[in-house]
Amino acid sequence: MDDMAEPVAHPITVAIERRIDPSRTVEATSWMQAGTDLATGFTGFLGSGWVRAGEGSDLWYMLYRFRDIPTLEAWEQSPQREWWLDSGRAFASEVRVERRTGIEGWFDASFATHVERPVSGERSDAAASTGPIQQPIPAAPPRWKQAVAIWLGFFPTNLLASWLLGFVPGFGDWPLVVRVLFATLLLTPIMTYVVLPRVTRLLRPWLHRAG
């Protein structure tokens, strides 16, 4: 009997919603950036960032992405992260946490999938007493809309890359498999971190519109 195949590891994106004391905005800005900088030193880290809901809003959103569950848990259970959380308790309280897997996370509405209780060390008093906020969860866009969005990003990106690579001396003489390998290695991170997030943001009203 063949051995069972090892489970495929999927990158995990964690989205955290926090309330920040408006009078401590300057400190909170440095604090959020410090958390991002700390995470970059951990194995499996794939990127992170944070945004504010609006200039006058006390809601701030932070996202970070790791290669798989074990590397994510290594960060979340680390003493460095615990120290960082302790340093922000005076002005930051967590509202809710969401984990997403796979490329479909780009298409989900904000906090549109599984909502968890705040992890240990990040729970606000309100969250501890009432649990996470539960709201209706909008469905992900149809597969055909996702395919259209990906194509709209990939076609011009691939066209531009093909044109630019034509100026590389001798590139056209490389074996086909080497040219394709080089192009995909170049375009995959550009699509994942630059093109696809912008395309889905521009198309979000259409992606989530019924029909």
Side-chain angles (χ1 to χ4, degrees):
M1 181 180 296
D2 293 335
D3 293 336
M4 295 183 63
E6 291 293 327
V8 178
H10 296 287
I12 309 295
T13 300
V14 178
I16 303 174
E17 179 180 353
R18 292 186 174 93
R19 291 196 180 277
I20 302 295
D21 182 348
S23 67
R24 309 283 291 275
T25 298
V26 174
E27 297 163 77
T29 300
S30 298
W31 179 74
M32 294 289 271
Q33 187 59 51
T36 297
D37 293 342
L38 276 176
T40 61
F42 281 74
T43 300
F45 175 78
L46 298 178
S48 70
W50 60 271
V51 295
R52 298 168 61 181
E55 188 174 2
S57 176
D58 64 347
L59 287 176
W60 296 38
Y61 302 95
M62 185 175 194
L63 294 95
Y64 50 84
R65 187 170 175 86
F66 278 82
R67 181 180 64 220
D68 49 28
I69 288 290
T71 55
L72 170 64
E73 291 180 343
W75 155 247
E76 291 187 334
Q77 298 170 11
S78 68
Q80 293 94 324
R81 182 169 180 266
E82 183 62 30
W83 167 84
W84 173 70
L85 291 173
D86 285 341
S87 68
R89 294 191 197 282
F91 51 82
S93 60
E94 184 180 292
V95 177
R96 56 181 172 178
V97 176
E98 172 203 345
R99 289 186 179 185
R100 305 173 185 154
T101 59
I103 196 169
E104 288 187 1
W106 291 119
F107 296 98
D108 294 337
S110 181
F111 300 101
T113 55
H114 176 62
V115 178
E116 302 178 343
R117 287 186 177 275
V119 295
S120 175
E122 291 186 318
R123 301 179 65 177
S124 65
D125 292 340
S129 61
T130 63
I133 297 173
Q134 299 290 345
Q135 295 181 349
I137 297 176
R143 295 278 183 175
W144 70 269
K145 286 190 175 184
Q146 298 181 30
V148 169
I150 293 172
W151 181 84
L152 286 174
F154 182 73
F155 174 71
T157 303
N158 187 45
L159 183 64
L160 177 62
S162 298
W163 178 70
L164 291 175
L165 288 173
F167 293 99
V168 177
F171 182 77
D173 298 327
W174 296 5
L176 177 62
V177 66
V178 176
R179 280 182 284 152
V180 173
L181 175 63
F182 180 83
T184 53
L185 287 175
L186 175 67
L187 295 181
T188 296
I190 294 175
M191 281 292 299
T192 302
Y193 294 106
V194 179
V195 178
L196 192 54
R198 286 168 171 75
V199 170
T200 54
R201 185 165 55 248
L202 289 172
L203 296 180
R204 186 170 297 280
W206 173 74
L207 287 168
H208 291 282
R209 186 170 62 237

